[in-house]
Amino acid sequence: MSVLIIAEAGVNHNGDLALAKGLIDAAAQAGANLVKFQTFSADRLATAGAAKADYQTQTTGSAESQHAMLRRLELTLDMHLALIDHCRKRGIGFLSTAFDHPSLDLLAELGLERFKIPSGEITNLPYLRHVGRLAAPADKSVILSTGMATLGEIEAALDILETAGTPRGRITVLHCNTEYPTPMGDVNLRAMVTLREAFQVVVGYSDHTPGIEVPIAAVALGATVIEKHLTLDRTLPGPDHPASLEPDEFAAMVHAIRHIEQALGDGIKRPSPSEAKNKPIARKSLVAAVPIRAGEPFTPANLTAKRPGTGLSPMRWDEVIGRPAPRAFAADELIAL
């Protein structure tokens, strides 16, 4: 199964439809499978006095509240329709993260087959229950981000989704750290493997580190979904641009992931077709270390192993030692029985 690569446009459109379409173009050009936005109402998402995260204050200042910032980044219904249409034209899938019940219902009405649960909603029981009901039909699925969560909180979220109607087999759990950017020492990529083993689920990774090496490593560890922020320009104003990849970087990540997919193979250890020709060159055969007379016993003193590997395998050493030479052999001549 090919890794599902999600270009997280998020709120990097800055409320500008043209910029949002540009992000879709860049995601499609880079080879992403899906481009993901965020669907929310500022009034339903945050109180007027809700504080910003530290990284949001650093990137957007402290004068504007979180609520006011979110208000500028809302997508209207018409914008959703325009973005879905543009995705269709560019041959890339549309996805969005909903942060409240009406937003979830809107995405369901728009025909989305996947529901992406953000890390901040993993302890929101009524929200999780609503997602579980919406994703209950067999053609729907859920992607659950687990930033800031404990194993117990993840288990509880999975139980709620399952009880509401979405079986675990249609839930992909993403390991994630919600700091932007995430320090390398806090990534804890092995936790993704822990999630797979603990909950018997398909796993992936939502990345907020600088650069592209960590998502590539996640694929090597078994991630089936990779999510990474995309921006057209890291210097644009907005909370998430500095921790995002620019188009050329995102394309390089996709290219590397596709190479890693090929390199992982099927796990069966056997000679590959490309290396078969190297066998007779790199391996060795039993050869005469010195001239050997006909009838003379083969001994460790008159036998050795040298390239090429076109004669008797040195693995037959014990079988050959002590046997009489069937004919005379010159030094360096391959032994034949």
Side-chain angles (χ1 to χ4, degrees):
M1 182 176 66
S2 183
V3 174
L4 183 74
I5 301 177
I6 302 172
E8 170 68 87
V11 295
N12 281 347
H13 52 77
N14 290 357
D16 182 339
L17 182 59
L19 183 54
K21 289 183 176 180
L23 287 164
I24 292 171
D25 294 337
Q29 181 66 31
N33 301 107
L34 300 171
V35 58
K36 186 173 79 68
F37 293 90
Q38 294 181 7
T39 303
F40 59 83
S41 158
D43 289 343
R44 293 191 296 266
L45 181 53
T47 64
K52 288 180 177 177
D54 287 344
Y55 77 88
Q56 293 173 332
T57 300
Q58 291 168 11
T59 54
T60 64
S62 57
E64 181 184 48
S65 68
Q66 182 187 168
H67 183 275
M69 178 189 73
L70 292 170
R71 174 80 74 191
R72 292 188 293 101
L73 301 172
E74 291 178 350
L75 294 175
T76 66
L77 172 59
D78 286 344
M79 292 173 81
H80 278 80
L81 294 172
L83 294 177
I84 290 172
D85 182 62
H86 196 67
C87 283
R88 189 178 298 113
K89 290 175 180 175
R90 291 309 310 269
I92 187 171
F94 174 88
L95 185 64
S96 190
T97 297
F99 288 78
D100 53 70
H101 288 213
S103 295
L104 285 168
D105 292 337
L106 171 62
L107 294 179
E109 290 166 7
L110 291 174
L112 268 66
E113 297 178 353
R114 294 181 179 90
F115 293 91
K116 171 65 199 303
I117 299 174
S119 294
E121 304 300 329
I122 198 167
T123 56
N124 185 344
L125 189 152
Y127 172 96
L128 293 170
R129 187 171 286 155
H130 198 56
V131 172
R133 290 167 180 159
L134 290 172
D139 61 338
K140 308 293 184 185
S141 61
V142 171
I143 300 174
L144 172 66
S145 276
T146 61
M148 306 173 291
T150 64
L151 283 178
E153 289 169 338
I154 297 166
E155 182 177 24
L158 288 170
D159 287 345
I160 292 164
L161 291 168
E162 286 188 292
T163 301
T166 301
R168 193 166 298 205
R170 285 194 273 115
I171 302 171
T172 301
V173 178
L174 303 189
H175 176 52
C176 177
N177 182 294
T178 60
E179 179 66 359
Y180 291 67
T182 302
M184 287 296 178
D186 284 351
V187 172
N188 193 18
L189 201 51
R190 289 191 178 98
M192 182 185 72
V193 179
T194 300
L195 295 177
R196 182 176 61 205
E197 294 173 351
F199 302 117
Q200 298 298 299
V201 290
V202 177
V203 294
Y205 175 60
S206 179
D207 185 54
H208 299 129
T209 64
I212 66 175
E213 62 264 46
V214 178
I216 294 167
V219 171
L221 283 177
T224 62
V225 174
I226 292 293
E227 180 180 81
K228 182 79 173 178
H229 279 268
L230 172 67
T231 181
L232 299 184
D233 182 350
R234 264 194 297 273
T235 66
L236 286 170
D240 296 342
H241 293 284
S244 302
L245 295 181
E246 292 183 348
D248 288 349
E249 297 167 319
F250 201 97
M253 183 191 74
V254 172
H255 186 70
I257 286 173
R258 297 309 179 208
H259 275 184
I260 294 300
E261 283 183 295
Q262 294 179 45
L264 284 172
D266 60 13
I268 300 172
K269 178 57 183 172
R270 59 184 181 278
S272 72
S274 65
E275 68 179 349
K277 63 183 181 297
N278 298 327
K279 248 188 189 181
I281 297 169
R283 290 189 173 181
K284 294 179 177 178
S285 302
L286 293 178
V287 302
V290 296
I292 301 173
R293 300 184 304 275
E296 180 182 350
F298 291 119
T299 70
N302 61 22
L303 281 186
T304 189
K306 291 186 181 182
R307 293 175 176 176
T310 54
L312 288 178
S313 168
M315 293 299 288
R316 297 181 65 182
W317 177 271
D318 290 345
E319 174 190 345
V320 173
I321 293 295
R323 292 181 61 166
R327 61 173 177 81
F329 292 93
D332 252 9
E333 185 178 355
L334 271 65
I335 299 300
L337 296 180

